[in-house]
Amino acid sequence: MQLRVVLFVLWGTLGALFMYQTPAHASETICRTVCQPKYKCYRQRKCYSKPYCYPVQRCRWRTVCDDEGEYDGCYKKRYCWTKQKCTYRRVCKYYKRCGMRRVCRRVCRSIDPEADDTPGTPPPTTPPPSYRRPPTPPPSYRQRYKRPSHRRGQCGMSRREQRVLTLINKERRRRGAPALSCHYKLVAASRAWSRIQCAQGSLSHKYLSRRFRAAGVPYTSIGENVAAGQKTAYAVVRSWMKSPGHRRNILNPSYTHVGIGATSCSKGFSPYWTQMFLRIRSSQRLKTTPIGSYKNEGGKEVY
């Protein structure tokens, strides 16, 4: 009996010492998920099977019998041959992919239920997540130093292209041929072909009629001059006039319009020059300079 009383008193004392005191009021936690788009880069793995062939040497023993030769009777002889064996092996590569991805995070805040909620004070709210735009790449050299369109010459040509047109018309007037007029569609097609030649690293007259049809200008006769490596308009016109074929295109009196395109190239020869000549059909003929007498630098008239 006395032992039970002692245990009961000891149990009550320990319970009073280590009893958990609950707070008067407990705060409540509210959590929510916030998602926003974000520009991220990640590595993507792609695997595929690739055929792999290698030589394999095989040998076999055969019994050979020779009664008339040097060795009488039968003996074993080893024959070897090479055979190509093919199999497939797994090859994996990593690629870098970038794009907008959805990124989510969990936001939690605590709310006191017994707090004094005055009608004039709005409840605290979590500010909405700010949307971050992906970083804009810096402009390239061509975009940064691109001349505005209002500063270009006629038909959208640059200064050096306009200079080439002036020089070839000067040569035509000396021989009595009418001056050529520019056409904005031919200028765009010439620049495009100069860029293609720069990418290929060689001069070419491929797909000539197809390129003229794609330009959308009706014609009866066409011609083209290309060059690369001449730094100035005077140098490229001088090199064309020294060549009989290019000279014939420049001085041909049947041509009425021309398009000139020059493109600077980072590899090989630079810049690349292209001239596209054509004679527009009579129903689509534009106004051109009539054939007549012109005065050269000395003041003499030539026809």
Side-chain angles (χ1 to χ4, degrees), residues 280-296:
I280 296 184
R281 294 177 186 174
S282 58
S283 59
Q284 303 288 338
R285 187 76 58 82
L286 300 179
K287 291 184 179 180
T288 57
T289 307
I291 300 178
S293 61
Y294 301 92
K295 291 185 179 181
N296 57 8

Side-chain angles (χ1 to χ4, degrees), residues 48-54 85-91:
Y48 57 92
S49 298
K50 184 178 181 181
Y52 173 69
C53 299
Y54 56 94
K85 186 176 182 180
C86 297
T87 183
Y88 288 90
R89 61 180 180 180
R90 189 176 177 86
V91 179

Side-chain angles (χ1 to χ4, degrees), residues 155 183-193 195 259-261 276:
C155 302
H183 199 288
Y184 70 97
K185 291 184 178 180
L186 294 180
V187 173
S190 301
R191 286 177 183 166
W193 187 242
R195 288 193 293 267
I260 304 168
M276 300 177 70

